[in-house]
Amino acid sequence: MRSGKKRNRGWAGKLLLALVLLVPVVTVHREYAKAEGELLKTGNYAYSLAPDAGQLPDKGAAGLVSAENGVILDGVMTTYAGWMGSATSAGTVQVVIDLLKDYPIGAINVVLNSPNSYWGFKEITVKYRSEAEPDAYYIAGKHARTGTALNNTVNLPMDNKTARFIVIDMKRSQPYQHIPLTDVQIYKGAGEEGAETSPAYTLEQMQAELKKDALMADKYGQWIYETWDGKVTSDGQLRQEYKAEAGALSNVKPDRKTYDQYGGIRSGGSYKSTGYFRLQQINGKWWFITPDGYKFILKGVDAASIWEWGYGTPYHKADGTPRQVFEALPDPSAFAPAYANDANGERVSFLVTNVMRKYGGDFEAKWESITRKRLIDWGFNAFSKWSKPRFIKDFPYIELLQDPMNLKRIQWTYDVFDPQAPSIIEAAVAPRLMQLKNDRWLIGYTYDNEAGWNADIVKTVLTYGTDSAAKNAFVDQIAAKYNQDLAAVNAVLGTSAESFDALKATSINIAAVPAEIVSDYIRLASRTYFSTIKGIIAKYDRHHLFMGASIVPTWRTSLEWDSAAMDFVDAFSVDNYTNDPSWIARYESFNKPLLNLEFTFSQAARGLSAINASTSVTSAEERGLAFQAFVEAQAANPLFVGSGWFSYYDQAVTGRRDNENFNLGLVNQQDQPYADMTRVMKTVNKGLEAVHENGG
């Protein structure tokens, strides 16, 4: 385990770090006056993936490309290197440039002009290093794309920083997006050029450069390349912030005149009390009813625990070597609880470290007290998904029952027809169901996560053999549809099986299967899946609701899967990161209560990324205003009964194990609330029941 000591950079490295901290992260100018100085067109470059589009000689280039002959340093805006998107595309494409010796750099412009709307990028990061720093890259800028313009130039002032190697990371918005790289303009700045101290790098050496880290985070887990009001500079600052916030929240407590103990609104009238949460349609509108009999709209927060694995960040690479992204890691002796190594990987949590610094002895109890008061003050009334504080017992919550990993997998889901599946699932979830069956604070359960069936799953199943229960179920269903007429089935499928057993062993091309058959099969799979889970829950817990499987309406599911679930769920849950509340129309005909258990609005700032274009905004206050517009529009629908904001905290600036480093939180990883946002949320949450009652 790495110690918390700063890595040794030598005097030159320390000087470079001092200078780099003065660099603005990135400025973007549509009308950019070219930097003064020579436009460098020297050296070689290489790609992480050979471009499969664009112009020669870069198209197909799997080796070194000279600056003289290539297309990205030629200054011509009509030539480009391109990478086509597909279901299996790499999420990030890189290019590394070797200028052959150190140069003072005045500015770097990266031009990404898209031929059409299918081309573009989500985010680019530009890194650099000098000869003197063989292992230490620094970040010149990180830029998230905004707007819909096809032509994009990202301009990064370098202020005469010294660089020989420049690496550009280009990230896709989604797998099918094509990435263009039109030009990289590197302007020589003022100062002396370096001497050529090593020969031009080979392809192997260039590929090794692509794997090197860049410094990102300070000892508090903050982006080192910016300063801002409130940025943490000392443990004392954290302790003072705790003192101030504790004072401000000292009188916060639940409003029992307005709400019952579970958060049900008293002014909405009293209804049958069953001692547990239930659902009821009243005057055409669906509501939760609390155990005490009052109307309730779920105003939840996801992942509200400091122990949530997704708030941590790996401190080793996959090969076991240390990640060189931290100015300093927490001392593993003083901050042992911040380190973990389990099924979710080896990681360190700057969040846990900062909470320990801030609250001192008995830090978890103090943090939980503040967290409970924050959520009450901001108008939230439930822990809606994923982890929650361990010792807060008097707050409504939803329990996610995760599918066991020893089920027979089919891509992102599992074989619901496998006769062993029900017993495997029951063995995995029964202990938790029995533990929670009498908990009045539990609203209900979801099962699995974002894993419906669609034609892609069917396509895979049809290639399987007789050892697949899913394949056997498909053949049995189509045989029944055609009254066991093998000749008719062969004619439909374009097969020549001599028996239905032989057909089960035959790979079937989904293109030959009528769409109606595919749809019927998905509905059968859905009924099998949801009836199984419904039955297991009912066997061990008859008190609590079953609220589906948190489906993403436009991803990894289908309307056939979703619609067939409706007979088995008490409410239907989705995860939907969008700013468009009209997604509800997809489900209106089913008259089933609806929940959106993961949504957010985010900002690309302070080294963090925005989750997607539709939910990206430019300030914390705008995050609150976007929350207001979206949440109120959802709540105005008669079917809608609540939502869960993802998540309580931001992810780490250095990324979790899948590299996500999103600005999602109500609170940052230094345990500082986004006050401009939560101020808006407080007002919105206070009036949400009225919005639902009155329809907007």
Side-chain angles (χ1 to χ4, degrees):
M1 186 176 290
R2 275 186 73 183
S3 72
K5 294 180 180 178
K6 295 183 180 180
R7 59 185 182 185
N8 181 15
R9 299 183 178 86
W11 70 269
K14 291 176 182 177
L15 177 60
L16 182 58
L17 178 58
L19 291 172
V20 81
L21 292 175
L22 300 175
V23 179
V25 171
V26 61
T27 55
V28 181
H29 304 285
R30 297 301 175 199
E31 301 295 332
Y32 181 75
K34 288 188 176 180
E36 293 182 4
E38 178 186 353
L39 188 60
L40 295 176
K41 299 180 181 180
T42 182
N44 305 302
Y45 58 87
Y47 298 111
S48 60
L49 296 171
D52 55 5
Q55 277 75 40
L56 297 172
D58 287 35
K59 184 177 179 181
L64 290 177
V65 181
S66 72
E68 281 187 356
N69 298 327
V71 302
I72 69 166
L73 291 169
D74 61 3
V76 177
M77 298 300 107
T78 57
T79 61
Y80 67 99
W83 294 265
M84 304 296 287
S86 70
T88 58
S89 295
T92 301
V93 175
Q94 298 173 286
V95 58
V96 55
I97 301 167
D98 177 6
L99 297 175
L100 301 181
K101 63 180 179 180
D102 282 344
Y103 286 94
I105 307 298
I108 300 174
N109 299 338
V110 184
V111 185
L112 301 103
N113 292 340
S114 303
N116 55 56
S117 61
Y118 296 103
W119 292 74
F121 64 98
K122 177 181 181 181
E123 184 177 83
I124 67 165
T125 302
V126 180
K127 302 175 283 191
Y128 67 96
R129 76 168 179 86
S130 67
E131 286 267 12
E133 294 285 331
D135 297 314
Y137 268 84
Y138 299 95
I139 294 176
K142 184 175 179 180
H143 171 64
R145 183 179 178 181
T146 58
T148 58
L150 293 179
N151 295 337
N152 290 266
T153 300
V154 179
N155 316 123
L156 298 98
M158 288 287 289
D159 295 339
N160 303 316
K161 302 299 182 294
T162 300
R164 170 175 169 174
F165 297 96
I166 296 167
V167 173
I168 302 171
D169 297 346
M170 297 163 283
K171 186 180 293 186
R172 303 179 199 268
S173 296
Q174 39 85 10
Y176 292 94
Q177 185 177 48
H178 313 317
I179 297 177
L181 179 57
T182 308
D183 218 56
V184 181
Q185 300 163 347
I186 306 167
Y187 289 93
K188 181 181 173 183
E192 295 295 321
E193 298 177 13
E196 294 191 34
T197 57
S198 63
Y201 268 33
T202 65
L203 176 62
E204 291 74 18
Q205 288 174 306
M206 295 282 265
Q207 294 291 339
E209 291 298 306
L210 294 174
K211 298 177 182 179
K212 291 181 179 179
D213 295 318
L215 184 64
M216 296 173 67
D218 68 10
K219 65 177 287 188
Y220 296 101
Q222 299 167 118
W223 185 244
I224 69 166
Y225 299 98
E226 286 182 78
T227 58
W228 56 84
D229 289 343
K231 187 174 185 180
V232 177
T233 58
S234 69
D235 292 5
Q237 178 185 338
L238 288 172
R239 291 191 291 270
Q240 183 58 39
E241 288 175 354
Y242 170 39
K243 181 179 179 180
E245 188 176 14
L249 297 176
S250 60
N251 294 323
V252 169
K253 58 184 179 181
D255 177 3
R256 293 294 178 239
K257 291 183 179 180
T258 304
Y259 302 102
D260 75 2
Q261 63 175 325
Y262 299 99
I265 190 160
R266 294 184 184 276
S267 63
S270 179
Y271 296 84
K272 181 181 178 181
S273 169
T274 64
Y276 297 94
F277 279 91
R278 63 184 182 86
L279 287 154
Q280 182 175 341
Q281 195 170 28
I282 302 168
N283 298 325
K285 296 180 174 65
W286 281 102
W287 295 87
F288 283 108
I289 303 297
T290 68
D292 286 347
Y294 294 96
K295 293 177 179 177
F296 177 96
I297 290 291
L298 181 81
K299 296 175 279 191
V301 176
D302 298 335
S305 171
I306 53 173
W307 309 113
E308 171 67 34
W309 75 265
Y311 296 144
T313 187
Y315 54 94
H316 284 127
K317 299 180 184 180
D319 63 5
T321 58
R323 294 180 72 201
Q324 302 291 332
V325 298
F326 310 105
E327 186 180 44
L329 281 171
D331 184 326
S333 298
F335 299 104
Y339 287 85
N341 189 1
D342 54 27
N344 290 309
E346 182 188 59
R347 61 195 182 277
V348 62
S349 173
F350 283 89
L351 169 59
V352 171
T353 304
N354 290 328
V355 166
M356 293 177 70
R357 289 168 170 149
K358 182 173 184 175
Y359 297 99
D362 201 17
F363 67 90
E364 188 169 6
K366 294 173 185 174
W367 169 80
E368 286 197 350
S369 176
I370 285 287
T371 291
R372 187 176 184 278
K373 288 185 175 184
R374 283 173 179 168
L375 296 181
I376 292 170
D377 186 49
W378 300 338
F380 292 100
N381 62 11
F383 300 122
S384 45
K385 199 174 174 187
W386 305 115
S387 58
K388 63 186 183 69
R390 295 191 291 186
F391 304 112
I392 296 179
K393 303 300 183 184
D394 56 346
F395 218 70
Y397 69 99
I398 291 171
E399 180 77 6
L400 191 158
L401 303 170
Q402 191 62 63
D403 61 313
M405 290 307 296
N406 58 334
L407 294 166
K408 291 184 177 180
R409 310 305 298 184
I410 305 174
Q411 295 190 57
W412 58 80
T413 183
Y414 62 88
D415 189 341
V416 303
F417 298 103
D418 179 10
Q420 301 302 315
S423 61
I424 293 172
I425 296 167
E426 183 174 348
V429 304
R432 189 62 173 155
L433 292 170
M434 288 188 288
Q435 181 183 8
L436 299 179
K437 66 180 181 179
N438 295 319
D439 189 346
R440 293 172 181 268
W441 295 97
L442 172 63
I443 299 170
Y445 304 98
T446 62
Y447 171 79
D448 202 354
N449 191 60
E450 300 180 356
W453 280 40
N454 60 14
D456 289 335
I457 295 294
V458 179
K459 180 180 179 180
T460 298
V461 167
L462 294 182
T463 66
Y464 291 165
T466 55
D467 59 343
S468 166
K471 177 66 172 296
N472 294 338
F474 174 83
V475 173
D476 289 344
Q477 185 183 42
I478 196 171
K481 182 173 182 63
Y482 287 90
N483 299 314
Q484 308 299 320
D485 185 338
L486 180 62
V489 172
N490 276 327
V492 168
L493 300 180
T495 53
S496 56
E498 296 181 354
S499 67
F500 284 116
D501 284 343
L503 184 59
K504 292 174 181 178
T506 301
S507 182
I508 300 169
N509 183 354
I510 193 173
V513 183
E516 178 187 356
I517 300 296
V518 174
S519 294
D520 286 347
Y521 178 60
I522 293 173
R523 281 189 284 266
L524 174 64
S526 179
R527 291 194 296 271
T528 304
Y529 173 100
F530 284 100
S531 64
T532 297
I533 305 308
K534 177 71 171 179
I536 292 171
I537 292 174
K539 180 177 179 180
Y540 294 96
D541 181 355
R542 293 188 175 275
H543 294 147
H544 293 108
L545 301 165
F546 176 35
M547 296 178 289
S550 296
I551 292 298
V552 179
T554 57
W555 181 68
R556 289 184 172 180
T557 194
S558 58
L559 191 56
E560 294 92 342
W561 176 270
D562 298 352
S563 62
M566 298 297 177
D567 289 339
F568 305 98
V569 298
D570 299 301
F572 189 78
S573 60
V574 305
D575 292 350
N576 207 6
Y577 293 87
T578 180
N579 61 2
D580 183 2
S582 68
W583 67 267
I584 294 175
R586 176 182 173 99
Y587 303 113
E588 282 182 333
S589 64
F590 303 109
N591 192 31
K592 186 68 68 169
L594 298 175
L595 295 147
N596 186 356
L597 293 182
E598 284 190 33
F599 78 102
T600 202
F601 295 95
S602 54
Q603 179 186 6
R606 302 177 186 176
L608 296 171
S609 299
I611 191 167
N612 61 32
S614 66
T615 59
S616 176
V617 296
T618 59
S619 70
E621 183 179 16
E622 285 191 19
R623 293 177 71 202
L625 295 173
F627 169 90
Q628 178 175 16
F630 186 62
V631 167
E632 289 183 346
Q634 289 184 130
N637 191 288
L639 300 179
F640 199 74
V641 293
S643 58
W645 173 274
F646 190 89
S647 54
Y648 187 54
Y649 283 108
D650 288 335
Q651 295 170 342
V653 72
T654 48
R656 65 182 196 179
R657 65 178 183 180
D658 56 5
N659 296 318
E660 285 188 6
N661 73 333
F662 295 139
N663 163 234
L664 302 162
L666 304 174
V667 187
N668 66 23
Q669 288 228 332
Q670 294 69 49
D671 198 53
Q672 298 169 312
Y674 288 103
D676 289 345
M677 176 176 67
T678 57
R679 190 178 301 115
V680 177
M681 291 174 160
K682 178 176 181 175
T683 300
V684 174
N685 284 332
K686 187 175 182 179
L688 210 57
E689 291 88 358
V691 171
H692 189 58
E693 182 70 55
N694 300 322

